Each structure stands twice: as C-alpha cells, then as structure tokens.
Amino acid sequence: MHSCVLDFFAIDPIDSNRADGSRLTASIPSPPLLFLSQGEEAPAAEEAPKAVAKAQPRSKDDLYLMGVSDQNMAYLDGTLPGDFGFDPLGMSDPEGAGGFVNPQWLAYSEVIHGRWAMLGVAGIVAPEILGQAGLIPESTGLVWFTSGAIPPQGTFDYWANPMTIFWVNMCMMNFAEIKRGQDYWYPGSQAEQPLMGWEKGFAGSGNPAYPGGKYFNFAGLGKDDMAKMQKKEIKNGRLAMMAFLGCMVQAVVTGEGPWKNICDHVADPFGANMLANFGAIGGASPF
C-alpha cells in the first residue's frame, strides 16, 4: 500500500524588530501531514529556515582603531545604532551574558542615559547663559549646583526650600523610572495599567528604547530615516554624557559654572585652562 502525502502549507509569519527601526519578516511553511502504511518509516523532517538579521556593510573608516578585535567584531556587526566596533572590555559580548551586566540592558541603558545627559547639560548651561543675557531674572540665572540640584549647595528658594524640591523630584523620578523599568521587562504592559486615561499612549512599539507613540514621538519623526536619526541620537547622547562629567569636574575644580569657565578660557587661554586649574583642586571647590 502506497503512502499518501497531503501537503498543507499554512504561512506562519515571524517578525523581528531590528535596532535600526526596520522589520525583518520570514515565512515558514508548516510541515506536511503524512499518512503512512504500517511499517513504513516517515522521512526525516527538514529544518525550517531561520530569520536572520544581516549585518550592515562596514568599512575600515567606520570603526575605531583601538579596542577592535575579531572577538568583538563577531557580535558588534553594525546592527545597533552607533556601533563602531568599540568594546575593549567585552561588556556587550553575548558569551558573558548572565553576569551582573546584560548586553541587551547595556545597549538600552546607554540610550536612556544619553537622553538624560542631553537634557541635563541643556538645563545646566541654559539658566547661566539666559541670566547673564538678561533674558531671565538674574536671581534665577544661577550656576547649576547652587540652584538646588545639590540641596546643601542650594541658594535660592523657588516655591519651597532646596531640600523639599529635591525630594519631590526624587519621588516623581521614582514613579517615571518604575514605569520605564516595567516597560522594559514587560513590553506593552503600561497600556494595560490605568493612568487617568493616558495609558493607551504608553503601549510602546515593542522596542523599549524607542517607544514612539503620541507622547514620545508626537512629531512623527523618523518615518523615512529612522536608522539615521537613531545613530545621531546615540552619538549626541555619548557627547552629552562626557559633557556632564566635565561640568561636574569643572565645578569641583573651579567653583564656577560651565559658561563662566568657557568665557574665562576665551578671555585668557593660557591662564584659564585644564592644566592651570589642576592647582586649584581642593581650593576653589564649592563642595
């Protein structure tokens, strides 16, 4: 008795969100249904094709010369925004996953920290510039560490004293960070938690680093060049993180704000610079 083979090919789509915002889709046919006679062996099942994200084309000019090795080039293949092959400590190596740092979390947290740094540096510099330009009251154009960001250094009472404002900020940030963490571990979950009717705007996109929607991309940017915009964002975010570190170090060394520091350097390049300021460490610090 001959075997009768009935092939039913149901298409099962597999979608994968790539880091550059594009979607990779593969269609896998379901295995055929076999009706075999007694004692007849079934043929070996063929392995289903897998959807694989292709690495972006990379040239020598795209990579940093230091910290690039065959090992990190195996996993830094250009699919992440701002990937230049630089990972000298192997922090993003998937072979090290399961330790105290997760490679996926590192990529996500770098984007988030870069965004906060860009906002932070703008908030540090803007009041000092606007106050000196007379665009805002001089009493509110304060150097960043005297505005209450560091409560013991606060010199101005807005609607409350610096310590009260600090703890209000802490509570509000705690709420925002908990919501963000929940969206990372359970994507889309925030659309199901009631929040005064706003929850539908927190549904996300499936990629917690780029949630989109009417709250986080209200201008609808990146429809045609999302990968390019993501690369620009992470590069500016990295620059802002270094700038914020510089603002803190300069505050400790000189006791002045960043705008005053740059003005002093322009006026006297040889008297106000990094080397000359090393001698002031511990003397001019406001802390």
Side-chain angles (χ1 to χ4, degrees), residues 122-137:
I124 285 174
V125 177
E128 191 178 356
I129 295 176
L130 296 177
Q132 291 189 14
L135 298 177
I136 61 175

Side-chain angles (χ1 to χ4, degrees), residues 77-100:
D77 55 5
T79 55
L80 285 173
D83 170 16
F84 292 94
F86 183 77
D87 187 21
L89 300 180
M91 299 292 288
S92 296
D93 192 339
E95 293 183 3
F100 71 96

Side-chain angles (χ1 to χ4, degrees), residues 169-191:
N169 288 336
M170 288 290 289
C171 292
M172 295 176 67
M173 285 300 302
N174 181 65
F175 173 77
E177 287 294 280
I178 289 176
K179 298 285 285 184
R180 184 177 64 80
Q182 289 174 337
D183 183 64
Y184 175 81
W185 296 112
Y186 308 102
S189 62
Q190 299 312 293

Side-chain angles (χ1 to χ4, degrees), residues 141-170:
L142 303 173
V143 177
W144 67 274
F145 51 80
T146 63
S147 66
I150 303 175
Q153 303 299 319
T155 61
F156 185 81
D157 288 349
Y158 294 89
W159 50 269
N161 62 67
M163 187 62 72
T164 301
I165 295 176
F166 173 81
W167 283 110
V168 170
N169 288 336
M170 288 290 289

Side-chain angles (χ1 to χ4, degrees), residues 45-94:
E46 295 183 0
E47 185 177 356
K50 297 180 179 179
V52 180
K54 294 182 180 180
Q56 298 295 321
R58 298 164 76 86
S59 67
K60 183 179 180 181
D61 296 334
D62 291 333
L63 306 178
Y64 292 115
L65 295 179
M66 298 181 61
V68 177
S69 66
D70 293 337
Q71 174 69 9
N72 59 32
M73 287 298 293
Y75 56 87
L76 295 178
D77 55 5
T79 55
L80 285 173
D83 170 16
F84 292 94
F86 183 77
D87 187 21
L89 300 180
M91 299 292 288
S92 296
D93 192 339

